[in-house]
Amino acid sequence: MDLGISGKRALVCAASKGLGQGCAEALAAAGVDLVLNARGVAALAAAAAGIRAAHGVTVTEVAADITTGEGRARVLAAAGEVDILVTNAGGPPPGMWTDWERADFIAALDANMLTPIALMKALLPGMMARGWGRVVNITSQSVKAPIPVLGLSNAARAGLTGYVAGTARQVAPHGVTINNLLPGIHATDRADALDRTVAEAEGITLDEARARRAATIPARRYGTAAEFGAACAFLCSQQAGFIVGQNILLDGGAVNATL
Ligand code: NAP
């Protein structure tokens, strides 16, 4: 399917690996020029080079911590006017509700709520003025069904979801859509880190931890970054212009709910 976005320009945050990289790849395959961000220079350069070679689009790299004001300022300066924004950052650490103090919540809110909000605040006016824009926020299935050990993530992402629900309706008259993609478990470094925590806590191997988790998913496997990216690119397409303020689960059926 031609997504109708060839020649558009996208900022994809936290995109040298995992789900962000999957989104960047799928947008590049649709002919979108990219501004790619992550903190680590080497992985970012490798991801950018791979995308340029595979898809022939322009890729600008900005190594920066997107959760800091200074990092965001550099990313936004390099990005300039973009038509598409994909927000993403690392997820908060797991733990128990008794572990977390105010500073832990502030860090999680900064990374997974206030950073995407700041990026939208900076880039939505330009999209609205030009009469076209797409924003996709990478959140989590924890928005629909809490993951108890990820209480910091549950809290921060719920806040972002509430913000998007209202804001998406305010910008929609200007041809701009905002939607959230909610990953269930996908085979990335983040999933490895979570599975390693389980393996260590329960005295089992990493493979056993993965197999146990996969067995709880109706699809009986982890999702891939490529599948996730394809869904993101569709939400950024011309065809998705009537999808506004939605929270779309990509979880192999893991959240057991009718709606
Ligand atoms: P990942 O494989 O660990 O990749 C994270 C990417 O983000 C890397 O490119 C990393 O590069 C970059 N990054 C991390 N912190 C950053 C920061 N502060 N500023 C800029 N770039 C940053 O993670 P993932 O699995 O793709 O997860 C992406 C998001 O989805 C996370 O918020 C995660 O919690 C959420 N999620 C993932 C899953 C899953 O199963 N994978 C499920 C639910 C939710 P650098 O480290 O070099 O910066």
Side-chain angles (χ1 to χ4, degrees):
M1 183 194 291
D2 179 356
L3 299 182
I5 50 177
S6 182
K8 301 271 187 203
R9 182 173 164 84
L11 167 58
V12 188
C13 302
S16 64
K17 296 178 187 168
L19 304 181
Q21 185 181 14
C23 295
E25 285 273 2
L27 288 169
V32 175
D33 292 322
L34 299 175
V35 179
L36 276 198
N37 154 257
R39 292 165 303 178
V41 175
L44 182 61
I51 289 172
R52 275 186 210 106
H55 305 292
V57 296
T58 302
V59 184
T60 305
E61 302 154 39
V62 192
D65 184 338
I66 199 67
T67 68
T68 67
E70 180 275 332
R72 272 194 304 280
R74 281 197 292 118
V75 170
L76 287 167
E81 292 190 339
V82 297
D83 310 293
I84 295 167
L85 166 66
V86 179
T87 76
N88 187 27
M96 282 292 291
W97 62 274
T98 44
D99 296 338
W100 302 314
E101 304 297 341
R102 177 180 165 78
D104 303 302
F105 281 101
I106 297 297
L109 292 172
D110 260 340
N112 300 115
M113 177 185 173
L114 298 176
T115 289
I117 289 174
L119 291 165
M120 283 186 266
K121 195 156 181 247
L123 294 172
L124 285 170
M127 295 180 190
M128 292 164 73
R130 294 187 295 280
W132 197 94
R134 299 282 184 266
V135 179
V136 175
N137 299 295
I138 300 179
T139 67
S140 172
Q141 80 175 38
S142 70
V143 169
K144 293 249 186 192
I147 301 172
V149 295
L150 292 177
L152 294 171
S153 172
N154 298 338
R157 298 187 198 277
L160 174 63
T161 305
Y163 173 86
V164 165
T167 306
R169 271 94 187 166
Q170 292 179 315
V171 303
H174 304 276
V176 179
T177 70
I178 312 177
N179 292 287
N180 302 323
L181 273 183
L182 283 53
I185 198 78
H186 284 68
T188 67
D189 288 0
R190 166 78 172 170
D192 277 352
L194 294 174
D195 286 339
R196 212 168 286 119
T197 307
V198 171
E200 281 163 17
E202 303 200 8
I204 57 176
T205 66
L206 186 56
D207 280 346
E208 284 169 333
R210 279 193 197 116
R212 271 193 205 176
R213 198 193 293 269
T216 68
I217 302 169
R220 298 288 186 267
R221 65 175 178 88
Y222 287 15
T224 69
E227 289 170 315
F228 192 87
C232 175
F234 180 73
L235 280 181
C236 297
S237 71
Q238 298 294 350
Q239 292 89 335
F242 207 50
I243 303 177
V244 170
Q246 297 303 299
N247 291 282
I248 298 168
L249 262 178
L250 297 177
D251 71 342
V255 171
N256 191 32
T258 304
L259 289 176

